[in-house]
Amino acid sequence: MSEGYRAPTAGTQRVLDGLHSRGNVRAPSSFLPGVLARVGLQDAYWQQGTPIGPVYVAYGEGGVSAVRQTSSPAHFEEWYRARFGRPVTQVARPPRPLADVVEQRLGSDAQGEIEIDLRGVTAFQRAVLQKTMEIPRGEVRPYGWIAREIGRPGAVRAVGTALNHNPVPLLIPCHRVVQTNGRVGEYAFGSAAKRAVLEAEGASPDLLENLARRGVRYLGDTEDHTFCLPTCAGMHRRLAEPRFVTFRTPQQAVSAGYRACDVCRPALAS
Ligand SMILES: [Zn+2]
């Protein structure tokens, strides 16, 4: 008996008995791994199209466990076993609800509930990753914002490390976290990929870089006197209108009579 083996539960056993009783009815080759993954006996993965090309998405009993770009299925399987200590088997298609929700989260504004397996990460990493999931599509937040929001303002570098080890890039949108100076910065799939995903989501990386180069980290609305991070949904719309001013620091905004937007909470980004 190999280490990590768990005796099938009654429900699992029924599924396995059901499979056995299929007799010589031949299941599609992808069927068995898919079923075993659903009942928690074996992890499975499939190839999924994304704005930055195909990625491999793996899942098991705890939900989606990994998203990764590798040069071949064999490399993915090797990497998966090294990182998680268990094998993973390719299936042509994942179970329907999972396929739909992954598709939605990767490709549109609709954000269905998704189960992500974060059992292998520390409490700090989990806090970072969960906070990252709150960043809306089309917006970005600095590393320092995440650190402050989770109550660890001094841990900016550790936030970067936690995001680098994000097991499920794209699904947990670590691409929406940018450098504290506003530059787009690095990414697990490379900085060109980060720019491409942000562009596809409607957060203009060119605009972000342009503002960062000019030292602009906050925008103030000249009508209601609130100030925001540049991609805050409300502020982004106003960029088309000549009704905003720019600030380099929260202090500068506050002393000009502006108050922090309570949606993007920009004062936490300093
Ligand atoms: Zn705002």
Side-chain angles (χ1 to χ4, degrees), residues 17-42:
D17 290 347
L19 287 172
H20 293 146
S21 70
R22 290 168 72 91
N24 51 16
V25 177
R26 199 179 150 80
S29 61
S30 67
F31 182 74
L32 186 58
V35 169
L36 292 176
R38 275 204 300 285
V39 298
L41 288 180
Q42 186 174 309

Side-chain angles (χ1 to χ4, degrees), residues 78-132:
E78 196 178 308
W79 169 83
Y80 194 89
R81 187 186 276 273
R83 172 146 179 181
F84 298 102
R86 45 185 202 268
V88 65
T89 310
Q90 189 164 23
V91 292
R93 273 191 305 272
R96 189 63 198 280
L98 180 60
D100 288 349
V101 77
V102 167
E103 188 84 19
Q104 271 176 17
R105 295 191 75 95
L106 293 179
S108 73
D109 291 335
Q111 299 286 287
E113 279 292 309
I114 190 166
E115 202 180 347
I116 292 175
D117 186 355
L118 292 179
R119 289 172 301 177
V121 308
T122 65
F124 175 80
Q125 289 172 319
R126 187 172 301 121
V128 169
L129 295 171
Q130 282 170 345
K131 180 53 71 176
T132 301

Side-chain angles (χ1 to χ4, degrees), residues 138-160:
E139 301 189 26
V140 299
R141 300 285 183 271
Y143 290 105
W145 182 91
I146 299 269
R148 297 289 292 270
E149 285 270 322
I150 63 168
R152 297 286 300 277
V156 179
R157 190 177 290 269
V159 165

Side-chain angles (χ1 to χ4, degrees), residues 227-229 232 261 263-266:
F227 72 100
C228 284
L229 290 164
C232 180
C261 164
V263 176
C264 65
R265 299 183 292 279

Side-chain angles (χ1 to χ4, degrees), residues 152-203:
R152 297 286 300 277
V156 179
R157 190 177 290 269
V159 165
T161 305
L163 290 172
N164 258 332
H165 290 97
N166 176 8
V168 289
L170 297 171
L171 292 179
I172 292 182
C174 54
H175 58 273
R176 296 179 195 153
V177 186
V178 299
Q179 290 178 6
T180 300
N181 64 12
R183 304 290 303 268
V184 168
E186 287 309 310
Y187 183 43
F189 297 159
S191 53
K194 186 172 188 173
R195 291 176 60 92
V197 184
L198 289 175
E199 189 77 61
E201 293 186 343

